Amino acid sequence: MADTLSFKLTSYNIRKAIGRDGKRRPEQILKVLNETHADIVVLQEADFRFNGRQAIFSAADLLDQTGFAVIDVAPDAPGLGWHGNMLLLRPHFRVTSVSPITLSGLEPRGAVISQIEIGTVQFNLIQAHLGLLPWHRRRQVQALVDEIDPMQPTILAGDLNAVGKAPSSLAPLNIHLNEVEIGPSFPTRWPCIHFDRIFHTKALRAIHSSVSDTPLARQASDHLPVSARFTFT
């Protein structure tokens, strides 16, 4: 039954696998992913922006070292992601559709909308990395809101780059979605900013949330992973 199912989703900006020491260490990111014990992971900055958008990880290494299957969300684009957005799933989840979206703005930004099946139920997942400028961010948020059916189980997660408890640039999200209460995740040296956020429609219920504030996570990137466990209402 849908109301007995639960799953854990993690959002993580991996900063191209560059740690606080300035060195690229993809193996540290893989270890942090294992610490989350997540079912679904959405990554941001998971490619080489200035190297043809090639993926930092191989699908084979991810499956072998974490058990996650990589969903190629943009087969016509290089790498395994879309503007740095990568989707990882445990084998008992299935993607039934996926649509990459280009978000307008000064910086190259994107989002991915996926329909995911677990057992006999489906939900929609929107993963995004939004812009640094508030007026661009609000326009990007509105583009994502236009894709949301508030009656369908839907999650929106990612690095939304908005500061504060209720930033005005994210206001359109609050019309149809509830935000999961999650602690600050940036910067890892002294987490005090809520850049990494998770929202959901009323067809889903968040029963637990957390920030993976571990010694390894504090070294692996400038963001900490944030997570929420969901059930269907």
Side-chain angles (χ1 to χ4, degrees):
M1 297 293 292
D3 59 0
T4 64
L5 291 175
S6 74
F7 59 91
K8 183 178 182 180
L9 179 139
T10 293
S11 177
Y12 188 18
N13 184 328
I14 67 170
R15 195 194 183 191
K16 304 173 184 63
I18 298 174
R20 274 175 46 188
D21 61 1
K23 297 180 180 180
R24 196 183 308 277
R25 301 182 189 275
E27 67 279 2
Q28 285 194 334
I29 299 297
L30 299 182
K31 291 176 182 177
V32 174
L33 292 179
N34 286 330
E35 288 183 337
T36 67
H37 302 289
D39 298 299
I40 302 170
V41 175
V42 295
L43 299 178
Q44 301 89 48
E45 297 193 31
D47 61 14
F48 295 99
R49 177 177 293 183
F50 301 111
N51 190 22
R53 287 289 190 183
Q54 295 300 309
I56 291 171
F57 313 102
S58 74
D61 284 346
L62 272 162
L63 183 61
D64 180 60
Q65 297 182 44
T66 70
F68 284 112
V70 180
I71 306 303
D72 192 349
V73 297
D76 295 331
L80 295 170
W82 175 247
H83 288 283
N85 294 286
M86 185 179 285
L87 176 59
L88 312 178
L89 298 177
R90 296 296 184 192
H92 55 287
F93 291 84
R94 189 170 73 92
V95 172
T96 56
S97 68
V98 60
S99 301
I101 298 175
T102 299
L103 299 176
S104 63
L106 180 64
E107 316 132 272
R109 299 291 184 180
V112 179
I113 301 177
S114 304
Q115 188 174 73
I116 299 175
E117 187 176 82
I118 173 174
T120 60
V121 295
Q122 292 181 328
F123 63 95
N124 301 314
L125 172 61
I126 302 174
Q127 58 187 102
H129 188 189
L130 301 186
L132 297 173
L133 300 178
W135 49 94
H136 289 164
R137 196 160 56 242
R138 189 179 183 92
R139 188 166 65 235
Q140 293 164 356
V141 165
Q142 187 59 57
L144 298 180
V145 167
D146 291 343
E147 300 287 339
I148 295 173
D149 180 348
M151 302 304 294
Q152 296 295 319
T154 301
I155 298 169
L156 187 151
D159 176 2
L160 305 190
N161 267 318
V163 178
K165 184 175 179 59
S168 60
S169 62
L170 302 186
L173 289 176
N174 296 320
I175 298 173
H176 300 305
L177 303 176
N178 298 323
E179 183 171 2
V180 179
E181 292 189 11
I182 304 175
S185 56
F186 180 89
T188 51
R189 185 182 299 276
W190 191 270
C192 60
I193 300 175
H194 296 76
F195 278 157
D196 305 287
R197 299 173 184 257
I198 302 175
F199 290 80
H200 63 96
T201 58
K202 293 181 179 179
L204 289 160
R205 181 163 59 98
I207 58 174
H208 184 263
S209 63
S210 62
V211 178
S212 298
D213 191 354
T214 68
L216 181 59
R218 285 211 172 202
Q219 296 299 321
S221 174
D222 59 346
H223 289 247
L224 297 172
V226 300
S227 301
R229 179 167 291 279
F230 289 97
T231 62
F232 293 83
T233 61

